[in-house]
């Protein structure tokens, strides 16, 4: 007897493919700003070039690892801040060579012709002796400012300005728009310069030197003005600046809470910085913060807003912000406990030492590189 087709072995049905894993939620933009500003705060506590170089390397590694790969203008602004930092160091050293330094020194590198100045310009000189101690002191100080600029550049390259604006409370919306427009000005300007230089190279025209800079500057300025006009028209079409009707008592309460809170923050901060006000400084600071936050909460009623897919403070975002805050706190404590190591002198002329636990505190800033995933624009 023949076999029925029903007797044939049944093929195992393929298992349904598992659903793709949901992409991780992008890190809150405010967490990136807190991390970057905390590294900048740590940079202000030291002039040790080894620690400052470690802070620069930390910020650069996190930016290279965590910034989005999409061609967003704000994500490509980090190299411009690096060039600005190098320019700051060069200008500071040039001023030290030309105008001298209050730091005395015994190791003379060169002697420039000195220009005699009138009596009312005492304390200022043009030319004269240039010492290694003066140059080294200026380099330490300029490197600290350059590190602060690079940390701000890291925040620009990691945090989307539009997402940061969306996260602000309603009372700060108008101020936040102005700040975000100012922050996005530099990245868009850099993108315009790169685009115009590439176009000039394709046409066989010079794009470097003074001539190339002059011929690129005018189109860049024209594009910035056109973008400003288009932005103003878009803001007006979306009803920017229009407020809701709020009762007069609520407005007065908001003004009192906000102003009183800011005064309390200022008085509490002053109390913490002085020995006499150490007892009342912290309670006054906390009370001022609470009043200011309550004022911002009430002030948000004047600007009703809705948020589509609001950014949330996930545990990863808290760890990113916490790593930067921990670095700043440890460097601040180290500067108070052992200022000679974090602020090395140049008299006598000696090589700076790398303190172990402050360096380990700086390395805590690398934590975002192991927590963050590629962010969408």
């Amino acid at each position: 007897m023949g076999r029925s087709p029903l007797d044939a072995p049944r093929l195992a049905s393929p298992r349904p493919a598992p659903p793709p894993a949901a992409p991780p939620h992008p890190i809150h933009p405010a967490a990136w700003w807190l991390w970057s500003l905390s590294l900048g705060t740590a940079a202000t506590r030291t002039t040790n070039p080894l620690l400052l170089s470690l802070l620069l390397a930390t910020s650069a590694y996190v930016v290279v690892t965590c910034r989005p790969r999409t061609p967003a203008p704000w994500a490509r602004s980090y190299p411009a801040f690096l060039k600005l930092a190098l320019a700051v160091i060069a200008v500071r050293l040039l001023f030290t060579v030309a105008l001298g330094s209050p730091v005395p020194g015994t190791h003379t590198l060169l002697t420039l012709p000195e220009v005699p100045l009138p009596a009312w310009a005492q304390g200022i000189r043009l030319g004269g002796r240039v010492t290694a101690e003066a140059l080294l002191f200026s380099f330490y100080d300029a490197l600290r400012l350059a590190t602060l600029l690079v940390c701000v550049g890291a925040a620009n390259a990691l945090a989307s300005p539009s997402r940061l604006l969306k996260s602000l409370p309603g009372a700060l919306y108008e101020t936040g728009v102005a700040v975000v427009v100012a922050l996005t000005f530099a990245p868009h300007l850099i993108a315009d310069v790169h685009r115009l230089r590439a176009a000039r190279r394709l046409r066989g025209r010079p794009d470097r030197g003074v001539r190339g800079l002059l011929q690129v500057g005018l189109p860049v300025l024209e594009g910035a003005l056109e973008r400003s006009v288009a932005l103003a028209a878009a803001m007006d079409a979306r009803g920017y600046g229009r407020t809701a009707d709020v009762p007069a008592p609520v407005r007065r309460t908001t003004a009192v809470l906000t102003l009183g809170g800011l005064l309390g923050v200022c008085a509490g901060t002053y109390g913490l910085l002085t020995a006499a006000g150490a007892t009342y400084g912290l309670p006054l600071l906390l009370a001022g913060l609470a009043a200011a936050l309550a004022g911002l909460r009430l002030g948000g009623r004047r600007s009703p807003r809705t948020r589509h897919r609001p950014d949330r403070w996930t545990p990863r975002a808290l760890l990113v912000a916490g790593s930067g805050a921990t670095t700043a706190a440890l460097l601040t404590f180290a500067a108070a406990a052992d200022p000679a190591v974090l602020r090395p002198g140049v008299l006598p002329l000696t090589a700076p030492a790398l303190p172990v636990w402050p360096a380990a505190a700086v390395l805590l800033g690398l934590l975002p590189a192991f927590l963050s995933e590629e962010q969408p624009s």
Side-chain angles (χ1 to χ4, degrees):
M1 296 177 62
R3 299 182 60 184
S4 171
L6 298 177
D7 297 333
R10 295 182 178 180
L11 296 176
S13 59
R15 294 181 179 179
H25 198 278
I27 291 179
H28 200 288
W32 285 123
W33 272 100
L34 288 175
W35 173 82
S36 302
L37 293 179
S38 297
L39 291 189
T41 303
T44 61
R45 312 314 299 169
T46 178
T47 56
N48 191 318
L50 300 179
L51 288 177
L52 293 175
S53 301
L54 198 58
L55 282 169
L56 290 172
T58 298
S59 67
Y61 182 78
V62 173
V63 168
V64 171
T65 306
C66 302
R67 69 177 174 181
R69 303 299 185 262
T70 54
W74 51 268
R76 298 195 299 263
S77 60
Y78 189 71
F81 281 90
L82 290 177
K83 295 177 183 178
L84 180 60
L86 292 176
V88 166
I89 296 175
V91 169
R92 179 62 189 274
L93 294 179
L94 182 62
F95 276 126
T96 301
V97 171
L99 303 178
S101 173
V103 177
T106 58
H107 297 78
T108 303
L109 298 179
L110 71 156
T111 302
L112 300 175
E114 188 169 354
V115 179
L117 297 176
W120 54 265
Q122 290 187 2
I124 303 175
R125 69 173 178 84
L126 294 177
R129 195 164 59 97
V130 180
T131 63
E133 290 85 353
L135 284 179
L136 197 60
F137 176 81
S138 299
F139 174 73
Y140 287 173
D141 200 41
L143 184 61
R144 178 172 57 178
L145 178 57
T147 306
L148 180 59
L149 289 174
V150 170
C151 292
V152 175
N156 278 273
L158 292 170
S160 170
S162 59
R163 289 176 51 218
L164 181 63
L165 176 62
K166 187 174 64 173
S167 304
L168 290 178
L172 298 177
Y173 179 67
E174 296 180 359
T175 304
V177 169
V179 173
V180 168
V181 170
L183 290 176
T184 55
F185 175 77
H188 283 294
L189 201 66
I190 295 167
D192 287 345
V193 170
H194 286 308
R195 177 175 54 83
L196 290 170
R197 289 182 61 185
R200 290 184 63 83
R201 284 195 298 268
L202 289 175
R203 293 177 174 86
R205 298 176 181 177
D207 63 314
R208 298 182 181 275
V210 178
R211 182 181 176 185
L213 180 63
L214 292 177
Q215 294 183 356
V216 167
L218 186 59
V220 168
L221 180 61
E222 182 182 359
L225 292 176
E226 291 179 355
R227 192 181 302 111
S228 301
V229 173
L231 178 62
M235 292 168 64
D236 184 67
R238 288 167 173 81
Y240 171 75
R242 299 173 187 174
T243 58
D245 292 332
V246 178
V250 176
R251 292 200 301 269
R252 287 193 292 267
T253 305
T254 301
V256 170
L257 287 175
T258 305
L259 183 59
L262 293 178
L263 290 176
V265 169
C266 294
T269 305
Y270 177 78
L272 290 177
L273 295 177
T274 59
T279 55
Y280 66 84
L282 184 59
L284 195 57
L285 177 62
L286 295 177
L289 285 175
L293 291 176
L296 291 177
R297 181 75 175 179
L298 285 177
R301 297 184 180 182
R302 296 183 65 248
S303 179
R305 298 171 57 218
T306 58
R307 292 182 176 91
H308 177 63
R309 294 181 180 178
D311 290 300
R312 295 180 176 84
W313 281 90
T314 60
R316 293 166 59 238
L318 292 174
L319 286 175
V320 168
S323 66
T326 304
T327 299
L330 291 177
L331 262 293
T332 302
F333 175 76
D338 194 1
V341 177
L342 266 69
R343 297 178 180 272
V346 295
L347 295 173
L349 196 62
T350 56
L354 180 65
V356 177
W357 72 267
V362 173
L363 292 179
L364 287 176
L366 289 172
L367 185 61
F370 305 99
L371 296 174
S372 176
E373 299 290 339
E374 183 179 343
Q375 304 179 42
S377 62

PDB file of all heavy atoms in Angstrom, residues 8-22:
ATOM      1  N   ALA A   8       3.928  11.544   6.001  1.00  0.00           N
ATOM      2  CA  ALA A   8       5.278  12.092   5.879  1.00  0.00           C
ATOM      3  C   ALA A   8       5.651  12.818   7.165  1.00  0.00           C
ATOM      4  O   ALA A   8       4.798  13.394   7.845  1.00  0.00           O
ATOM      5  CB  ALA A   8       5.351  13.072   4.690  1.00  0.00           C
ATOM      6  N   PRO A   9       6.904  12.776   7.552  1.00  0.00           N
ATOM      7  CA  PRO A   9       7.321  13.475   8.789  1.00  0.00           C
ATOM      8  C   PRO A   9       7.114  14.974   8.646  1.00  0.00           C
ATOM      9  O   PRO A   9       7.444  15.574   7.623  1.00  0.00           O
ATOM     10  CB  PRO A   9       8.801  13.108   8.919  1.00  0.00           C
ATOM     11  CG  PRO A   9       9.226  12.729   7.542  1.00  0.00           C
ATOM     12  CD  PRO A   9       8.030  12.106   6.876  1.00  0.00           C
ATOM     13  N   ARG A  10       6.536  15.491   9.637  1.00  0.00           N
ATOM     14  CA  ARG A  10       6.270  16.928   9.611  1.00  0.00           C
ATOM     15  C   ARG A  10       7.537  17.721   9.950  1.00  0.00           C
ATOM     16  O   ARG A  10       8.289  17.361  10.857  1.00  0.00           O
ATOM     17  CB  ARG A  10       5.174  17.256  10.622  1.00  0.00           C
ATOM     18  CG  ARG A  10       3.833  16.624  10.271  1.00  0.00           C
ATOM     19  CD  ARG A  10       2.782  17.033  11.278  1.00  0.00           C
ATOM     20  NE  ARG A  10       1.477  16.469  10.938  1.00  0.00           N
ATOM     21  CZ  ARG A  10       0.390  16.685  11.659  1.00  0.00           C
ATOM     22  NH1 ARG A  10       0.461  17.429  12.760  1.00  0.00           N
ATOM     23  NH2 ARG A  10      -0.754  16.135  11.289  1.00  0.00           N
ATOM     24  N   LEU A  11       7.727  18.761   9.178  1.00  0.00           N
ATOM     25  CA  LEU A  11       8.875  19.627   9.441  1.00  0.00           C
ATOM     26  C   LEU A  11       8.568  20.514  10.639  1.00  0.00           C
ATOM     27  O   LEU A  11       7.448  21.004  10.807  1.00  0.00           O
ATOM     28  CB  LEU A  11       9.183  20.499   8.224  1.00  0.00           C
ATOM     29  CG  LEU A  11       9.607  19.742   6.957  1.00  0.00           C
ATOM     30  CD1 LEU A  11       9.790  20.719   5.808  1.00  0.00           C
ATOM     31  CD2 LEU A  11      10.889  18.956   7.200  1.00  0.00           C
ATOM     32  N   ALA A  12       9.557  20.660  11.470  1.00  0.00           N
ATOM     33  CA  ALA A  12       9.368  21.505  12.659  1.00  0.00           C
ATOM     34  C   ALA A  12       9.182  22.951  12.213  1.00  0.00           C
ATOM     35  O   ALA A  12       9.945  23.476  11.393  1.00  0.00           O
ATOM     36  CB  ALA A  12      10.585  21.400  13.583  1.00  0.00           C
ATOM     37  N   SER A  13       8.156  23.553  12.718  1.00  0.00           N
ATOM     38  CA  SER A  13       7.888  24.946  12.352  1.00  0.00           C
ATOM     39  C   SER A  13       8.963  25.850  12.952  1.00  0.00           C
ATOM     40  O   SER A  13       9.383  25.651  14.099  1.00  0.00           O
ATOM     41  CB  SER A  13       6.517  25.366  12.879  1.00  0.00           C
ATOM     42  OG  SER A  13       6.468  25.215  14.279  1.00  0.00           O
ATOM     43  N   PRO A  14       9.444  26.784  12.178  1.00  0.00           N
ATOM     44  CA  PRO A  14      10.514  27.656  12.706  1.00  0.00           C
ATOM     45  C   PRO A  14       9.991  28.514  13.862  1.00  0.00           C
ATOM     46  O   PRO A  14       8.862  28.999  13.859  1.00  0.00           O
ATOM     47  CB  PRO A  14      10.885  28.540  11.506  1.00  0.00           C
ATOM     48  CG  PRO A  14       9.681  28.519  10.625  1.00  0.00           C
ATOM     49  CD  PRO A  14       9.056  27.164  10.816  1.00  0.00           C
ATOM     50  N   ARG A  15      10.847  28.652  14.860  1.00  0.00           N
ATOM     51  CA  ARG A  15      10.471  29.460  16.009  1.00  0.00           C
ATOM     52  C   ARG A  15      10.475  30.944  15.624  1.00  0.00           C
ATOM     53  O   ARG A  15      11.310  31.389  14.849  1.00  0.00           O
ATOM     54  CB  ARG A  15      11.443  29.232  17.158  1.00  0.00           C
ATOM     55  CG  ARG A  15      11.389  27.819  17.720  1.00  0.00           C
ATOM     56  CD  ARG A  15      12.366  27.681  18.872  1.00  0.00           C
ATOM     57  NE  ARG A  15      12.302  26.337  19.441  1.00  0.00           N
ATOM     58  CZ  ARG A  15      13.073  25.939  20.446  1.00  0.00           C
ATOM     59  NH1 ARG A  15      13.951  26.783  20.975  1.00  0.00           N
ATOM     60  NH2 ARG A  15      12.957  24.711  20.902  1.00  0.00           N
ATOM     61  N   PRO A  16       9.518  31.672  16.147  1.00  0.00           N
ATOM     62  CA  PRO A  16       9.513  33.107  15.832  1.00  0.00           C
ATOM     63  C   PRO A  16      10.743  33.792  16.391  1.00  0.00           C
ATOM     64  O   PRO A  16      11.219  33.486  17.481  1.00  0.00           O
ATOM     65  CB  PRO A  16       8.226  33.612  16.505  1.00  0.00           C
ATOM     66  CG  PRO A  16       7.953  32.609  17.586  1.00  0.00           C
ATOM     67  CD  PRO A  16       8.427  31.287  17.046  1.00  0.00           C
ATOM     68  N   ALA A  17      11.265  34.687  15.589  1.00  0.00           N
ATOM     69  CA  ALA A  17      12.464  35.411  16.011  1.00  0.00           C
ATOM     70  C   ALA A  17      12.135  36.288  17.208  1.00  0.00           C
ATOM     71  O   ALA A  17      11.052  36.878  17.283  1.00  0.00           O
ATOM     72  CB  ALA A  17      12.992  36.274  14.859  1.00  0.00           C
ATOM     73  N   PRO A  18      13.040  36.339  18.171  1.00  0.00           N
ATOM     74  CA  PRO A  18      12.762  37.190  19.342  1.00  0.00           C
ATOM     75  C   PRO A  18      12.702  38.656  18.920  1.00  0.00           C
ATOM     76  O   PRO A  18      13.369  39.079  17.968  1.00  0.00           O
ATOM     77  CB  PRO A  18      13.968  36.935  20.263  1.00  0.00           C
ATOM     78  CG  PRO A  18      15.052  36.457  19.353  1.00  0.00           C
ATOM     79  CD  PRO A  18      14.354  35.707  18.251  1.00  0.00           C
ATOM     80  N   PRO A  19      11.864  39.428  19.563  1.00  0.00           N
ATOM     81  CA  PRO A  19      11.777  40.844  19.203  1.00  0.00           C
ATOM     82  C   PRO A  19      13.096  41.554  19.464  1.00  0.00           C
ATOM     83  O   PRO A  19      13.825  41.210  20.397  1.00  0.00           O
ATOM     84  CB  PRO A  19      10.662  41.374  20.123  1.00  0.00           C
ATOM     85  CG  PRO A  19      10.647  40.422  21.279  1.00  0.00           C
ATOM     86  CD  PRO A  19      11.014  39.085  20.699  1.00  0.00           C
ATOM     87  N   PRO A  20      13.428  42.502  18.619  1.00  0.00           N
ATOM     88  CA  PRO A  20      14.698  43.214  18.833  1.00  0.00           C
ATOM     89  C   PRO A  20      14.679  43.967  20.159  1.00  0.00           C
ATOM     90  O   PRO A  20      13.652  44.485  20.591  1.00  0.00           O
ATOM     91  CB  PRO A  20      14.767  44.182  17.642  1.00  0.00           C
ATOM     92  CG  PRO A  20      13.339  44.342  17.199  1.00  0.00           C
ATOM     93  CD  PRO A  20      12.669  43.034  17.478  1.00  0.00           C
ATOM     94  N   ALA A  21      15.842  43.969  20.777  1.00  0.00           N
ATOM     95  CA  ALA A  21      15.945  44.663  22.062  1.00  0.00           C
ATOM     96  C   ALA A  21      15.775  46.165  21.862  1.00  0.00           C
ATOM     97  O   ALA A  21      16.237  46.745  20.876  1.00  0.00           O
ATOM     98  CB  ALA A  21      17.316  44.380  22.700  1.00  0.00           C
ATOM     99  N   ALA A  22      15.073  46.743  22.791  1.00  0.00           N
ATOM    100  CA  ALA A  22      14.841  48.188  22.716  1.00  0.00           C
ATOM    101  C   ALA A  22      16.156  48.929  22.923  1.00  0.00           C
ATOM    102  O   ALA A  22      16.964  48.548  23.775  1.00  0.00           O
ATOM    103  CB  ALA A  22      13.828  48.623  23.778  1.00  0.00           C
TER     104      ALA A  22
END
